[in-house]
Amino acid sequence: MLGRIFKFASYDLAIDLGTANTIVHVPSRGLVLDEPSVVAIETINGVKRVKAVGDEAKLMMGKTPGHIEVIRPLKDGVIADIDVAEQMIKHFIRKVYGRQNFRRAPEVVICVPSGATSVERRAIRDAASNAGAREVHLILEPMAAAIGAGLPVTEPIGSMVVDVGGGTTEIAVLSLRGLAYTASVRVGGDKMDDAIVSYVRRNHNLLIGDITAERIKKEAGIARRPTEGHGITLSIKGRDLVNGVPAEITINQTQIAEALSEPVGAIIEGVRIALENTAPELAADIVDQGIVLTGGGALLSGLDDAICEATGLPVVVADDPLTCVARGTVFALENEQFRIFAH
Ligand SMILES: Nc1ncnc2c1ncn2[C@@H]1O[C@H](COP(=O)(O)OP(=O)(O)O)[C@@H](O)[C@H]1O
Ligand SMILES: [Mg+2]
């Protein structure tokens, strides 16, 4: 009886600290928070304070007056601003816990980019401890992605996971609870958005914002030209660069594919380099098992086909790729065998 009560009163947390989104799971309760990794900082009389975090802060992006700055503290997969990152982590943890008093301090596992330095890892641990965690474990993102995708990470079988996030694409080969190869390419969803912004500026003399570019990518983004015709056509609004007034143009999927060719090419190149650096026995396993794509960027239409064509290997998109890392993180917390934590 007591055991049951304690099980349901679990305060433990699994946090996927992504460059674009932070997702928090509580074992037995499931997903409790899914918000952009964004913080709005306000400066009044030289004093900075947090004005908004998460969804509320993202709504302010590109629309702030001079005294408010919107920051993505993990934008490029490294922590650009440790103080802001700490504030964000604390904010999210407190948001999940509310005003509860803990019967016992919670255990927290946080998923971090594999390239995070020891200073960054310490800062993340400290932020969680200061927010009330008893024990803080870190798990590397490719490991969490692979666990979330159900790959056999504990066995002597090579698996390749490509996690296409906002700021980075993490490419890794895993086997026997470890990373046999890992690389972080600074190309992901953000670079795709940037590529759309510059394409539209160059070819249509129209200036659009990042949020608009991201919307275009999600609605009609495509990794390769449509095989027939030009696919879907979208109308987009921005500021005309010639006469400076708001204007509207249309763009089709052939053009969007052209715009995205550089970031998509960079991801494919990263995968190629990883394969070249993979030991033959592991490479043989990958031929059988294929490459698994996770992260929001895996939702880009045709990315799997483009990687398959470039490598000749089977490529599959994990179920619900946006939450794959978060699900792997909570699975690691709950299952003794998968507690493959980093230092
Ligand atoms: N349908 C979609 N097509 C293409 N990209 C998408 C789609 N949905 C989300 N994304 C992109 O996925 C990225 C976020 O993925 P996520 O895995 O949450 O990143 P991170 O782990 O770095 O926070 C963003 O750049 C977002 O625009
Ligand atoms: Mg991620």
Side-chain angles (χ1 to χ4, degrees), residues 141-225:
E141 184 172 39
M143 182 57 75
I147 294 172
L151 296 174
V153 296
T154 58
E155 290 168 45
I157 299 175
S159 322
M160 179 179 272
V161 36
V162 178
D163 181 83
V164 188
T168 60
T169 294
E170 302 238 346
I171 302 166
V173 176
L174 306 97
S175 173
L176 286 169
R177 305 169 64 87
L179 298 167
Y181 175 88
T182 172
S184 179
V185 183
R186 298 260 173 109
V187 174
D190 296 336
K191 284 278 160 64
M192 296 180 197
D193 302 345
D194 294 348
I196 293 174
V197 171
S198 22
Y199 180 91
V200 172
R201 189 178 50 220
R202 250 193 343 262
N203 295 279
H204 299 275
N205 280 319
L206 189 78
L207 196 62
I208 59 170
D210 294 343
I211 300 284
T212 301
E214 185 182 29
R215 183 180 59 81
I216 297 168
K217 176 187 68 179
K218 287 186 183 172
E219 283 177 22
I222 187 159
R224 299 192 303 177
R225 295 160 152 268

